[in-house]
Short mmCIF file of all heavy atoms in Angstrom, two decimals:
data_model
loop_
_atom_site.label_atom_id
_atom_site.label_comp_id
_atom_site.label_asym_id
_atom_site.label_seq_id
_atom_site.Cartn_x
_atom_site.Cartn_y
_atom_site.Cartn_z
N PRO A 268 143.74 108.96 112.92
CA PRO A 268 143.43 110.26 113.48
C PRO A 268 141.94 110.66 113.35
O PRO A 268 141.46 111.47 114.12
CB PRO A 268 144.30 111.23 112.69
CG PRO A 268 144.53 110.52 111.37
CD PRO A 268 144.59 109.07 111.74
N ARG A 325 114.16 128.86 115.24
CA ARG A 325 114.72 127.58 114.76
C ARG A 325 113.62 126.49 114.78
O ARG A 325 113.52 125.70 113.84
CB ARG A 325 115.89 127.16 115.66
CG ARG A 325 117.15 127.95 115.41
CD ARG A 325 118.36 127.22 115.99
NE ARG A 325 118.23 127.03 117.43
CZ ARG A 325 118.64 127.94 118.34
NH1 ARG A 325 119.16 129.08 117.96
NH2 ARG A 325 118.50 127.68 119.63
N ASN A 334 105.46 120.90 107.55
CA ASN A 334 104.07 121.27 107.21
C ASN A 334 103.13 121.22 108.41
O ASN A 334 101.97 120.93 108.31
CB ASN A 334 103.52 120.33 106.12
CG ASN A 334 102.25 120.87 105.51
OD1 ASN A 334 102.06 122.08 105.38
ND2 ASN A 334 101.34 119.99 105.06
N TYR A 344 94.30 145.70 111.77
CA TYR A 344 92.99 146.33 111.85
C TYR A 344 93.19 147.82 112.06
O TYR A 344 94.00 148.25 112.89
CB TYR A 344 92.16 145.72 112.99
CG TYR A 344 91.89 144.23 112.77
CD1 TYR A 344 92.73 143.26 113.35
CD2 TYR A 344 90.81 143.84 112.01
CE1 TYR A 344 92.49 141.92 113.16
CE2 TYR A 344 90.57 142.48 111.82
CZ TYR A 344 91.40 141.54 112.39
OH TYR A 344 91.16 140.19 112.19
N GLY A 350 106.30 150.51 108.06
CA GLY A 350 107.16 149.36 108.26
C GLY A 350 106.52 148.08 107.78
O GLY A 350 105.31 148.02 107.48
N ARG A 351 107.33 147.05 107.73
CA ARG A 351 106.84 145.75 107.26
C ARG A 351 105.97 145.09 108.32
O ARG A 351 106.34 145.03 109.49
CB ARG A 351 108.04 144.86 106.94
CG ARG A 351 107.71 143.59 106.23
CD ARG A 351 108.97 142.87 105.81
NE ARG A 351 108.68 141.64 105.09
CZ ARG A 351 109.62 140.86 104.60
NH1 ARG A 351 110.91 141.15 104.82
NH2 ARG A 351 109.31 139.77 103.97
N SER A 384 65.72 110.08 115.81
CA SER A 384 64.70 110.85 115.09
C SER A 384 63.83 109.93 114.22
O SER A 384 62.69 110.28 113.96
CB SER A 384 65.37 111.91 114.23
OG SER A 384 66.09 112.81 115.03
N ALA A 394 67.44 103.81 109.21
CA ALA A 394 67.80 105.20 108.85
C ALA A 394 69.29 105.38 108.76
O ALA A 394 69.81 106.05 107.85
CB ALA A 394 67.22 106.14 109.90
N ALA A 417 89.66 101.39 83.66
CA ALA A 417 90.71 100.37 83.76
C ALA A 417 90.28 99.07 83.09
O ALA A 417 89.07 98.85 82.85
CB ALA A 417 91.01 100.11 85.24
N ALA A 429 92.26 104.87 93.96
CA ALA A 429 91.27 105.90 94.27
C ALA A 429 91.03 106.02 95.73
O ALA A 429 90.91 107.12 96.29
CB ALA A 429 89.96 105.60 93.52
N SER A 444 94.70 81.97 97.35
CA SER A 444 94.46 81.15 96.18
C SER A 444 94.29 82.09 95.00
O SER A 444 93.16 82.49 94.67
CB SER A 444 93.21 80.28 96.39
OG SER A 444 93.38 79.40 97.47
#
Side-chain angles (χ1 to χ4, degrees):
R325 285 197 300 272
N334 193 32
Y344 299 94
R351 190 174 181 179
S384 297
S444 298

